[in-house]
Amino acid sequence: MKKIFPIILALGVLAAFHIGLAQAATVEIKANGAMSAITVPYYSNVTLSWSASNLLGTAIGPSGEPGCAGDWGERIPNVWYPPGPIWISKENSGQQLFEGMTATKTFTIMCPSDGSSVQSSVTVTVQPDPNPLKVDLTINGNDVKPGYTYTLPWNGGPEIGQFEDLKFVWEANNPDATCSLGGAGYPDLSRFGFPGTASGEWSISSLKLVRDGHSTDRSSQKIVGGTWIITCTGRGETATDQIRVVTALPPKVIRSIELKANGQSGTVTVPRGTDVLLTWTATNLFSDTRCLASGDWSGYKTSHGSSGQEFTHPLYANKVYTIKCDVSSNTFSDVKNADTVTIYVATDWDALLTKYSSGWDAQGSTWGYITDSGVTQWYRKEGSQWVKKSSAAEAKTPYTEPSPAAKAVCDDIAQSIVNAAGGCSNVDKAAYQNVYSACCAVITKTTLLQLLNNALADGKLDKSEKSSLLDALNTYLSK
C-alpha cells in the first residue's frame, strides 16, 4: 500500500505538467507575406499563403471535408450553390498564386480543432485600372458618335443599283484583347475565320437591290441596316462600341396609268355624233399588271403592262371612261393606278343651222328654232344672217334694219358717209355719232390704208380728202 501511493502521485504530477504545456490552435493567412490588408495596382499578381498549428482532432470543416478550408473557391457554371462563400478544402498550410487581380477581395481560411474552429482573414485592395480597356469601331472611315447613325448611300437608279460597300475597322487599346464583331444578320462572325484579334477589319460588298419585274419589289440580298457591335475582353474587362447603320432608300419609281380622250385629259367636249380616240399610257407597270376598264366601257385594256388605244362609236350622250390597274404603292414606288376621262357631247348648232335654215328661207320665215336632246335654240333672220336668240319672244320680234346714222361698225356704208362729208373733220357728229365713233374716233392701220386707198381712187387728193387723212393720222398717232 505504501508503494502504490507514490506511483499515483507521480502520474498526477505528469498529467498536470502536460496540461500546462498544451498550446491553443491557430491559423494565419498572409497576402504577399503581409498579415494586414494590402493595396496592389490593377492586374497585379498576389501570392496567398496560410499556416495552421496545434489543431486537435479531424473534425469536418466548412468545405464538408476534414481539415481547413478557404473561401476563395470558384463557382462551376450551371451548378447550384447555397448562399454565401464557396469553401474549398485546403491543406493545413500552403500557398496559391492569383494572377492579374482585377477586383478587391477578402480571403478567409477556417480550420476545425477540438470541437471548435479557428480562422484568419486578409484583404487585398485592387486599385482602378489607369488605362481601362477601350475599343473604337469605324465604318467606311467614319467614326460615328453614340446616338448617331451612318446612312448607307444608294448608288443607282430606281430600278437597279447597289448600296455602298461596307468596311468595318476596329482597334482596342490592349493588344492582348480578344474582339468579336456581329450584328444586322451576322451575329457571330467567327464563322468567317476571325482570329479574335484586338484590331482588324471586315467588309461586305455588292449589296444589290434588283426589282424583279413583279408587283412586289424584292431585294436580291439582305440589306444590312441595323446595329453593329464590337465586343472586346482582356485583363478582366469588357469594352464595346457600336454603330447604327440605316440604308438610304433608292429613289421611288413612278408607276402610273394615264387615260386621254382625243389627246386630252380630264374633261373633254366633242361635237355630237363624233367618235373619240381613247388612249391609255402605262408607265413602269410590271409585266403581269392588268388594267380593267369601267364606266361606259369594260374589259381588260392592257397586255403585259403596256399602253394601248381604242375608238368609241359615234357619241350622242355624255360618257365616263375609267381604267384601273392592279398595282399599289409600296416602299420603293409611288403609284397612280387609275384614271378617268369625262366626255361631254355638245350640239353643233352651226351644222344644224346650215341643215335647217335653207328650209326656213324657202318658206320665207323670219324666225325658227332647232331642238336637240331636249335643248331648243331660237333664231331670228337679221338681214341675210340667222342670229341666235335666247327666247321665242326675242326670235319672233320683227327685225328692223338700223339706219346708217345708227351704225356702230365702220363698214362700207359708214365709210361712204364719211367720204360724202369730205372727211372725218366734216362729219355731222350729231347726226352720225356712231359713224364718227366707228370710222374716225378709233383709227387702225387698216382704217388708214382704207382712207388712203379711197382718197387715191381718182388719182388725186382734194382738200377734204387731205383733211380726213390728217385727222385720221393724228388720231392714230395720239393713241
Side-chain angles (χ1 to χ4, degrees):
M1 188 69 177
K2 291 180 180 181
K3 293 180 180 181
I4 295 175
F5 178 76
I7 294 173
I8 295 174
L9 180 61
L11 290 174
V13 171
L14 289 173
F17 178 77
H18 176 76
I19 293 174
L21 293 177
Q23 296 180 359
T26 62
V27 63
E28 293 180 347
I29 188 170
K30 298 178 182 179
N32 288 349
M35 292 183 60
S36 58
I38 64 170
T39 300
V40 297
Y42 184 85
Y43 214 67
S44 294
N45 295 337
V46 174
T47 299
L48 194 68
S49 60
W50 64 94
S51 177
S53 60
N54 302 323
L55 299 179
L56 299 177
T58 56
I60 300 300
S63 67
E65 299 179 8
C68 299
D71 68 348
W72 53 88
E74 295 182 356
R75 297 178 183 269
I76 301 174
N78 302 320
V79 175
W80 180 86
Y81 292 90
I86 305 300
W87 294 91
I88 301 297
S89 177
K90 303 293 181 182
E91 298 291 335
N92 289 352
S93 64
Q95 65 178 27
Q96 184 173 345
L97 176 64
F98 291 85
E99 296 181 341
M101 287 193 64
T102 60
T104 297
K105 181 173 178 59
T106 298
F107 298 90
T108 300
I109 189 164
M110 182 181 296
C111 301
S113 177
D114 196 23
S116 183
S117 65
V118 291
Q119 69 179 42
S120 180
S121 300
V122 67
T123 298
V124 178
T125 300
V126 179
Q127 295 176 327
D129 188 354
N131 186 28
L133 180 62
K134 296 179 182 179
V135 63
D136 185 50
L137 178 66
T138 63
I139 179 172
N140 292 354
N142 296 279
D143 191 1
V144 182
K145 296 180 180 179
Y148 290 83
T149 59
Y150 177 77
T151 300
L152 190 63
W154 169 258
N155 299 321
E159 289 294 333
I160 185 171
Q162 69 180 52
F163 289 104
E164 180 182 86
D165 295 343
L166 284 182
K167 182 179 181 180
F168 293 99
V169 177
W170 66 90
E171 184 173 3
N173 62 346
N174 179 2
D176 297 324
T178 300
C179 300
S180 62
L181 175 69
Y186 299 91
D188 180 14
L189 297 184
S190 61
R191 60 191 176 93
F192 291 94
F194 279 106
T197 56
S199 61
E201 63 181 48
W202 188 68
S203 298
I204 312 174
S205 61
S206 299
L207 289 167
K208 295 181 179 179
L209 177 75
V210 180
R211 304 188 190 283
D212 57 12
H214 294 281
S215 56
T216 301
D217 296 319
R218 292 188 284 267
S219 62
S220 64
Q221 192 168 348
K222 185 173 183 178
I223 301 174
V224 294
T227 301
W228 291 80
I229 302 175
I230 187 77
T231 302
C232 300
T233 58
R235 289 167 51 96
E237 296 174 306
T238 299
T240 63
D241 194 11
Q242 64 183 37
I243 293 177
R244 174 73 177 170
V245 178
V246 296
T247 52
L249 290 177
K252 285 191 174 184
V253 62
I254 305 300
R255 309 190 187 282
S256 65
I257 188 73
E258 185 177 22
L259 181 63
K260 292 184 178 181
N262 290 346
Q264 301 180 51
S265 303
T267 301
V268 181
T269 301
V270 299
R272 183 179 304 278
T274 60
D275 50 12
V276 174
L277 176 62
L278 299 175
T279 58
W280 55 95
T281 303
T283 303
N284 295 323
L285 294 185
F286 297 109
S287 59
D288 59 354
T289 300
R290 298 191 303 173
C291 298
L292 182 64
S294 61
D296 289 306
W297 64 339
S298 60
Y300 287 99
K301 300 299 180 181
T302 62
S303 175
H304 305 296
S306 60
S307 305
Q309 65 180 33
E310 179 179 312
F311 277 99
T312 68
H313 296 294
L315 301 182
Y316 295 94
N318 298 336
K319 300 290 183 180
V320 177
Y321 299 91
T322 298
I323 189 168
K324 185 174 182 180
C325 305
D326 57 358
V327 61
S328 59
S329 298
N330 57 32
T331 304
F332 302 104
S333 61
D334 285 329
V335 171
K336 176 190 175 185
N337 64 354
D339 201 8
T340 297
V341 291
T342 300
I343 299 177
Y344 288 107
V345 175
T347 299
D348 188 351
W349 296 108
D350 291 340
L352 292 176
L353 179 62
T354 300
K355 177 180 179 181
Y356 291 104
S357 60
S358 59
W360 299 341
D361 288 334
Q363 297 174 11
S365 300
T366 60
W367 60 270
Y369 67 90
I370 302 172
T371 299
D372 186 72
S373 299
V375 178
T376 300
Q377 177 62 59
W378 293 87
Y379 293 88
R380 183 175 70 179
K381 188 76 173 288
E382 297 182 0
S384 61
Q385 303 293 323
W386 286 95
V387 181
K388 288 181 179 180
K389 297 300 174 181
S390 60
S391 64
E394 186 179 5
K396 294 178 180 180
T397 299
Y399 171 72
T400 302
E401 184 75 25
S403 64
K407 284 183 176 292
V409 179
C410 189
D411 54 14
D412 292 341
I413 297 176
Q415 188 61 51
S416 66
I417 295 174
V418 174
N419 293 338
C424 288
S425 59
N426 298 322
V427 173
D428 185 351
K429 298 181 180 63
Y432 298 102
Q433 181 178 358
N434 289 338
V435 172
Y436 182 83
S437 298
C439 297
C440 300
V442 179
I443 302 298
T444 64
K445 289 182 180 180
T446 302
T447 306
L448 285 173
L449 291 174
Q450 185 177 5
L451 288 173
L452 183 59
N453 289 332
N454 292 340
L456 294 175
D458 56 359
K460 61 181 180 178
L461 289 175
D462 57 28
K463 185 177 180 180
S464 64
E465 291 172 338
K466 291 180 181 179
S467 178
S468 296
L469 282 171
L470 288 174
D471 287 346
L473 183 59
N474 288 332
T475 301
Y476 178 77
L477 294 175
S478 63
K479 292 191 298 181

